[in-house]
Amino acid sequence: MGRAVLDSLGTLQPFVTPTVKLSRLFGSHDVEIYAKLDLLQLAGSTKERTANGLVEELLGSGQLLAGGTIVESTSGNLGIALARQCVVRGVKFTAVVDENANPLALKLMEAYGATVDRVETPADGNKLSARRRRVRELLDKNPGSVTTNQYGSVANPRAHFTTTMPEIIAGSGGNLDYLFVATSTTGTLLGCQQYIQAHNLDTKIVAVDSVGSVLFGGKSGTRRLPGLGAGIVPELASGADPDLVFQIEEIDMVRGCRLLARREGILAGASTGAIVAAMQTLVPTLAAGARIAFMVHDTGVPYLQTVYNDDWVRSTLNTEPDQGTTAESDDLWGK
């Protein structure tokens, strides 16, 4: 998994996680597929990189002092990562969440000592706007507290420019035709995009979004699985310019997660399931020998009661969870 690096504050930096070649996911297609296993980060997701970069930016600028407080809006993974990053630095953390937040993710934040502040869904249904309003309220009520501003801070994409993308290139041998990244703040996508541009790579970047997200011209709608998409366009998105965009239905995220687990033994979260669904659309169109990579953004453990729970899928998404997702199936969804 690589070595963790001890910095001058005595805190663990994000791990260098492996980028591994897969052979079973789309075995009938002559393409090379590499998976970036950021589910192996200590906090369980690639948001460990983001959180480290955001906190370091605040500490380095003097906006945050030891013993201070960070307040941030989160749908789950960043909250877990910030809670861990804060506890090892002697910083307090308040996570502002909404009703879509994964209950297990909230328990993980609280286990690290974070305060969880829940907001109700407003009349317009825009949960992200409600969370961000609550962040501003808490900052006003608590002088000296700061927010990491994951939606606009340049430290967000910088973390992926300096760590994520170089690791993917090193682990895959470079010369990638496509890189698939799930989107929310667009920080991971933007950092990878900036690296590709700075190094004059031919890699096309694929943004994977959720149906119901307003990113990349999408239409606002109900989204029940956290961690993918956005209810308002974040500031960082103005610089994001993917070559392709896929908007994925939630049931296809579920099926993508299950396929990855059953064919490759990788238990991932909903955003990675969305990537698998997007790859299922693109892979059959690619020339033989094409080389692609994708982010395994987070562990599937917090999704055991949703994505991997048949009863939840039937009652919430109103359909059967599995259609041709066994390793023996020739087609991704059994079509």
Side-chain angles (χ1 to χ4, degrees):
M1 187 166 62
R3 290 189 307 125
V5 179
L6 200 64
D7 71 8
S8 59
L9 293 172
T11 59
L12 286 171
Q13 297 288 334
F15 280 107
V16 175
T17 59
T19 300
V20 299
K21 187 176 182 179
L22 305 184
S23 60
R24 293 168 53 84
L25 188 57
F26 303 117
S28 62
H29 297 284
D30 184 17
V31 296
E32 292 185 29
I33 300 176
Y34 295 86
K36 179 61 171 164
L37 300 182
D38 258 13
L39 81 171
L40 297 177
Q41 293 291 348
L42 279 174
S45 80
T46 197
K47 294 295 186 179
E48 181 86 357
R49 301 174 188 270
T50 307
N52 178 72
L54 293 169
V55 175
E56 284 293 291
E57 177 76 8
L58 291 174
L59 289 168
S61 67
Q63 297 176 70
L64 175 67
L65 302 176
T69 299
I70 288 175
V71 182
E72 183 58 285
S73 157
T74 174
S75 61
N77 283 330
L78 184 72
I80 298 168
L82 278 174
R84 199 198 77 76
Q85 290 285 332
C86 285
V87 76
V88 296
R89 289 176 167 87
V91 173
K92 295 183 283 292
F93 174 56
T94 296
V96 178
V97 305
D98 59 49
E99 64 183 7
N100 266 11
N102 190 307
L104 181 53
L106 303 185
K107 290 184 180 297
L108 288 168
M109 294 179 212
E110 291 173 333
Y112 284 121
T115 298
V116 174
D117 188 291
R118 296 171 177 83
V119 299
E120 295 183 1
T121 301
D124 64 5
N126 196 317
K127 299 178 178 64
L128 178 55
S129 291
R131 295 201 318 256
R132 296 189 73 177
R133 283 195 298 270
R134 180 58 176 162
V135 168
R136 290 192 292 271
E137 291 172 3
L138 291 175
L139 293 175
D140 289 342
K141 290 180 180 180
N142 298 278
S145 61
V146 296
T147 184
T148 55
N149 185 24
Q150 62 162 319
Y151 309 100
S153 174
V154 296
N156 183 341
R158 184 192 303 135
H160 303 287
F161 180 96
T162 58
T163 68
T164 307
M165 196 63 198
E167 290 176 27
I168 291 172
I169 294 298
S172 65
N175 298 317
L176 293 169
D177 295 296
Y178 292 91
L179 171 68
F180 287 74
V181 179
T183 57
S184 180
T185 67
T186 69
T188 305
L189 182 147
L190 184 57
C192 293
Q193 172 191 302
Q194 290 170 343
Y195 184 95
I196 289 168
Q197 292 171 342
H199 292 81
N200 296 312
L201 303 180
D202 293 328
T203 306
K204 292 181 172 62
I205 195 159
V206 182
V208 180
D209 195 17
S210 172
V211 169
S213 166
V214 301
L215 294 172
F216 311 112
K219 183 178 179 181
S220 179
T222 300
R223 290 177 293 118
R224 288 149 293 200
L225 290 170
L228 185 67
I232 59 174
V233 178
E235 297 90 328
L236 290 174
S238 63
D241 185 25
D243 296 282
L244 293 172
V245 177
F246 286 91
Q247 288 197 316
I248 306 298
E249 297 279 0
E250 288 180 316
I251 185 58
D252 290 331
M253 299 178 198
V254 168
R255 293 170 181 164
C257 284
R258 291 172 179 224
L259 188 85
L260 186 62
R262 294 174 186 180
R263 287 193 175 175
E264 296 287 356
I266 298 173
L267 193 75
S271 61
T272 305
I275 290 175
V276 173
M279 288 195 296
Q280 185 267 340
T281 298
L282 186 63
V283 163
T285 73
L286 299 180
R291 306 180 78 251
I292 66 178
F294 71 99
M295 295 292 301
V296 180
H297 286 278
D298 63 347
T299 174
V301 172
Y303 298 85
L304 291 176
Q305 295 305 313
T306 54
V307 166
Y308 297 97
N309 184 300
D310 289 355
D311 291 336
W312 182 91
V313 174
R314 292 185 185 110
S315 63
T316 306
L317 303 184
N318 301 310
T319 190
E320 286 298 313
D322 288 306
Q323 290 183 11
T325 56
T326 64
E328 292 76 22
S329 172
D330 290 333
D331 299 321
L332 186 57
W333 310 142
K335 296 178 181 177

CSV table of all heavy atoms in Angstrom, one decimal, residues 83-113:
chain,number,residue,atom,x,y,z
A,83,ALA,N,-12.5,14.7,10.0
A,83,ALA,CA,-12.5,14.3,11.4
A,83,ALA,C,-11.2,13.7,11.8
A,83,ALA,O,-10.6,14.0,12.9
A,83,ALA,CB,-13.7,13.4,11.7
A,84,ARG,N,-10.7,12.8,10.9
A,84,ARG,CA,-9.4,12.1,11.2
A,84,ARG,C,-8.2,13.1,11.2
A,84,ARG,O,-7.4,13.1,12.1
A,84,ARG,CB,-9.2,10.9,10.3
A,84,ARG,CG,-8.2,9.9,10.8
A,84,ARG,CD,-7.6,9.1,9.7
A,84,ARG,NE,-6.6,9.7,8.9
A,84,ARG,CZ,-5.4,10.0,9.2
A,84,ARG,NH1,-4.9,9.6,10.4
A,84,ARG,NH2,-4.5,10.6,8.4
A,85,GLN,N,-8.2,13.9,10.1
A,85,GLN,CA,-7.1,14.9,10.0
A,85,GLN,C,-7.1,15.9,11.1
A,85,GLN,O,-6.1,16.3,11.6
A,85,GLN,CB,-7.3,15.6,8.7
A,85,GLN,CG,-7.0,14.8,7.4
A,85,GLN,CD,-5.5,14.5,7.2
A,85,GLN,OE1,-4.7,15.3,7.6
A,85,GLN,NE2,-5.2,13.4,6.6
A,86,CYS,N,-8.3,16.3,11.6
A,86,CYS,CA,-8.4,17.2,12.7
A,86,CYS,C,-7.9,16.7,14.0
A,86,CYS,O,-7.2,17.3,14.8
A,86,CYS,CB,-9.8,17.8,12.8
A,86,CYS,SG,-10.3,19.0,11.5
A,87,VAL,N,-8.3,15.4,14.3
A,87,VAL,CA,-8.0,14.9,15.6
A,87,VAL,C,-6.5,14.7,15.8
A,87,VAL,O,-6.0,14.9,16.9
A,87,VAL,CB,-8.8,13.5,15.8
A,87,VAL,CG1,-8.1,12.4,15.0
A,87,VAL,CG2,-8.8,13.2,17.3
A,88,VAL,N,-5.8,14.4,14.7
A,88,VAL,CA,-4.3,14.2,14.9
A,88,VAL,C,-3.6,15.5,14.9
A,88,VAL,O,-2.4,15.6,15.2
A,88,VAL,CB,-3.7,13.3,13.8
A,88,VAL,CG1,-4.3,11.9,13.9
A,88,VAL,CG2,-4.0,13.9,12.4
A,89,ARG,N,-4.3,16.6,14.7
A,89,ARG,CA,-3.7,17.9,14.7
A,89,ARG,C,-4.2,18.8,15.9
A,89,ARG,O,-3.8,19.9,16.1
A,89,ARG,CB,-4.0,18.7,13.4
A,89,ARG,CG,-3.3,18.2,12.2
A,89,ARG,CD,-3.7,19.0,11.0
A,89,ARG,NE,-2.8,18.7,9.8
A,89,ARG,CZ,-2.9,17.7,9.0
A,89,ARG,NH1,-3.9,16.8,9.2
A,89,ARG,NH2,-2.1,17.6,8.0
A,90,GLY,N,-5.0,18.2,16.8
A,90,GLY,CA,-5.5,18.9,17.9
A,90,GLY,C,-6.5,20.0,17.5
A,90,GLY,O,-6.6,21.1,18.2
A,91,VAL,N,-7.3,19.8,16.5
A,91,VAL,CA,-8.3,20.7,15.9
A,91,VAL,C,-9.7,20.1,16.1
A,91,VAL,O,-9.9,18.9,15.9
A,91,VAL,CB,-8.0,21.1,14.5
A,91,VAL,CG1,-9.1,21.9,13.9
A,91,VAL,CG2,-6.6,21.7,14.3
A,92,LYS,N,-10.6,21.0,16.5
A,92,LYS,CA,-12.0,20.5,16.6
A,92,LYS,C,-12.7,20.6,15.2
A,92,LYS,O,-12.3,21.4,14.4
A,92,LYS,CB,-12.8,21.4,17.6
A,92,LYS,CG,-12.2,21.2,19.0
A,92,LYS,CD,-13.0,22.0,20.0
A,92,LYS,CE,-12.7,23.5,20.0
A,92,LYS,NZ,-11.4,23.8,20.4
A,93,PHE,N,-13.7,19.7,15.0
A,93,PHE,CA,-14.4,19.7,13.7
A,93,PHE,C,-15.9,19.5,13.9
A,93,PHE,O,-16.3,18.6,14.7
A,93,PHE,CB,-13.8,18.5,12.9
A,93,PHE,CG,-14.6,18.3,11.6
A,93,PHE,CD1,-14.7,19.3,10.7
A,93,PHE,CD2,-15.1,17.0,11.3
A,93,PHE,CE1,-15.4,19.1,9.5
A,93,PHE,CE2,-15.8,16.8,10.1
A,93,PHE,CZ,-15.9,17.9,9.2
A,94,THR,N,-16.6,20.3,13.2
A,94,THR,CA,-18.1,20.2,13.1
A,94,THR,C,-18.4,19.9,11.7
A,94,THR,O,-18.1,20.6,10.8
A,94,THR,CB,-18.8,21.5,13.6
A,94,THR,OG1,-18.5,21.7,14.9
A,94,THR,CG2,-20.3,21.4,13.4
A,95,ALA,N,-19.1,18.8,11.5
A,95,ALA,CA,-19.6,18.4,10.1
A,95,ALA,C,-21.1,18.7,10.0
A,95,ALA,O,-21.9,18.3,10.8
A,95,ALA,CB,-19.4,16.8,10.0
A,96,VAL,N,-21.4,19.5,9.0
A,96,VAL,CA,-22.8,19.9,8.7
A,96,VAL,C,-23.3,18.9,7.6
A,96,VAL,O,-22.7,18.9,6.5
A,96,VAL,CB,-22.9,21.4,8.2
A,96,VAL,CG1,-24.3,21.7,7.9
A,96,VAL,CG2,-22.3,22.3,9.3
A,97,VAL,N,-24.3,18.2,7.9
A,97,VAL,CA,-24.8,17.1,7.1
A,97,VAL,C,-26.3,17.3,6.9
A,97,VAL,O,-27.0,18.0,7.6
A,97,VAL,CB,-24.5,15.7,7.7
A,97,VAL,CG1,-23.0,15.6,7.9
A,97,VAL,CG2,-25.3,15.5,8.9
A,98,ASP,N,-26.8,16.5,5.9
A,98,ASP,CA,-28.3,16.6,5.6
A,98,ASP,C,-28.8,15.1,5.8
A,98,ASP,O,-28.1,14.2,6.1
A,98,ASP,CB,-28.6,17.2,4.3
A,98,ASP,CG,-28.0,16.4,3.1
A,98,ASP,OD1,-28.1,15.2,3.1
A,98,ASP,OD2,-27.4,17.0,2.2
A,99,GLU,N,-30.1,15.0,5.5
A,99,GLU,CA,-30.8,13.7,5.7
A,99,GLU,C,-30.3,12.6,4.8
A,99,GLU,O,-30.5,11.4,5.1
A,99,GLU,CB,-32.3,13.8,5.6
A,99,GLU,CG,-32.7,14.2,4.2
A,99,GLU,CD,-34.2,14.4,4.1
A,99,GLU,OE1,-34.9,14.4,5.1
A,99,GLU,OE2,-34.7,14.6,2.9
A,100,ASN,N,-29.6,12.9,3.8
A,100,ASN,CA,-29.0,11.9,2.9
A,100,ASN,C,-27.7,11.3,3.4
A,100,ASN,O,-27.3,10.3,2.8
A,100,ASN,CB,-28.8,12.5,1.5
A,100,ASN,CG,-30.0,12.2,0.5
A,100,ASN,OD1,-31.0,11.8,1.0
A,100,ASN,ND2,-29.8,12.5,-0.7
A,101,ALA,N,-27.2,11.9,4.4
A,101,ALA,CA,-25.9,11.4,4.9
A,101,ALA,C,-26.0,10.0,5.4
A,101,ALA,O,-27.0,9.6,6.0
A,101,ALA,CB,-25.4,12.3,6.1
A,102,ASN,N,-25.0,9.2,5.1
A,102,ASN,CA,-25.0,7.8,5.5
A,102,ASN,C,-24.8,7.7,7.0
A,102,ASN,O,-23.9,8.2,7.6
A,102,ASN,CB,-23.8,7.1,4.8
A,102,ASN,CG,-23.8,5.6,4.9
A,102,ASN,OD1,-23.9,5.1,6.0
A,102,ASN,ND2,-23.7,5.0,3.8
A,103,PRO,N,-25.7,7.0,7.6
A,103,PRO,CA,-25.7,6.9,9.1
A,103,PRO,C,-24.4,6.3,9.6
A,103,PRO,O,-23.8,6.8,10.6
A,103,PRO,CB,-26.8,5.9,9.4
A,103,PRO,CG,-27.8,6.1,8.3
A,103,PRO,CD,-27.0,6.3,7.1
A,104,LEU,N,-23.8,5.3,8.9
A,104,LEU,CA,-22.5,4.8,9.3
A,104,LEU,C,-21.4,5.8,9.2
A,104,LEU,O,-20.5,5.9,10.1
A,104,LEU,CB,-22.2,3.5,8.6
A,104,LEU,CG,-20.9,2.8,9.0
A,104,LEU,CD1,-20.8,2.5,10.4
A,104,LEU,CD2,-20.7,1.5,8.2
A,105,ALA,N,-21.4,6.6,8.1
A,105,ALA,CA,-20.4,7.7,8.0
A,105,ALA,C,-20.5,8.6,9.2
A,105,ALA,O,-19.5,9.1,9.7
A,105,ALA,CB,-20.7,8.4,6.7
A,106,LEU,N,-21.7,9.0,9.6
A,106,LEU,CA,-21.8,9.9,10.7
A,106,LEU,C,-21.3,9.3,12.0
A,106,LEU,O,-20.6,10.0,12.8
A,106,LEU,CB,-23.3,10.2,11.0
A,106,LEU,CG,-24.0,10.9,9.8
A,106,LEU,CD1,-25.5,11.3,10.2
A,106,LEU,CD2,-23.3,12.1,9.2
A,107,LYS,N,-21.5,8.0,12.2
A,107,LYS,CA,-20.9,7.3,13.4
A,107,LYS,C,-19.4,7.3,13.3
A,107,LYS,O,-18.7,7.4,14.3
A,107,LYS,CB,-21.4,5.9,13.4
A,107,LYS,CG,-22.9,5.8,13.8
A,107,LYS,CD,-23.4,4.3,14.0
A,107,LYS,CE,-24.9,4.2,14.3
A,107,LYS,NZ,-25.1,4.9,15.6
A,108,LEU,N,-18.8,7.2,12.1
A,108,LEU,CA,-17.4,7.2,12.0
A,108,LEU,C,-16.8,8.6,12.3
A,108,LEU,O,-15.8,8.7,13.0
A,108,LEU,CB,-17.0,6.8,10.6
A,108,LEU,CG,-17.1,5.3,10.2
A,108,LEU,CD1,-17.0,5.1,8.7
A,108,LEU,CD2,-16.1,4.5,10.9
A,109,MET,N,-17.5,9.6,11.9
A,109,MET,CA,-17.1,11.0,12.2
A,109,MET,C,-17.1,11.2,13.7
A,109,MET,O,-16.2,11.7,14.3
A,109,MET,CB,-18.0,12.0,11.6
A,109,MET,CG,-18.0,12.1,10.1
A,109,MET,SD,-19.1,13.3,9.4
A,109,MET,CE,-19.6,12.6,7.9
A,110,GLU,N,-18.2,10.7,14.4
A,110,GLU,CA,-18.3,10.9,15.8
A,110,GLU,C,-17.3,10.1,16.6
A,110,GLU,O,-16.8,10.5,17.6
A,110,GLU,CB,-19.8,10.5,16.2
A,110,GLU,CG,-20.8,11.5,15.7
A,110,GLU,CD,-22.2,11.1,16.0
A,110,GLU,OE1,-22.5,9.9,16.1
A,110,GLU,OE2,-23.1,12.0,16.1
A,111,ALA,N,-16.9,8.9,16.0
A,111,ALA,CA,-15.9,8.1,16.6
A,111,ALA,C,-14.6,8.8,16.7
A,111,ALA,O,-13.8,8.6,17.6
A,111,ALA,CB,-15.8,6.8,15.9
A,112,TYR,N,-14.3,9.7,15.7
A,112,TYR,CA,-13.1,10.5,15.7
A,112,TYR,C,-13.3,11.8,16.6
A,112,TYR,O,-12.3,12.5,16.7
A,112,TYR,CB,-12.8,10.9,14.3
A,112,TYR,CG,-12.1,9.9,13.4
A,112,TYR,CD1,-12.7,9.5,12.2
A,112,TYR,CD2,-10.9,9.3,13.8
A,112,TYR,CE1,-12.1,8.5,11.4
A,112,TYR,CE2,-10.3,8.3,13.0
A,112,TYR,CZ,-10.9,7.9,11.8
A,112,TYR,OH,-10.4,6.9,11.0
A,113,GLY,N,-14.4,12.0,17.2
A,113,GLY,CA,-14.6,13.1,18.0
A,113,GLY,C,-15.3,14.3,17.4
A,113,GLY,O,-15.4,15.4,18.0
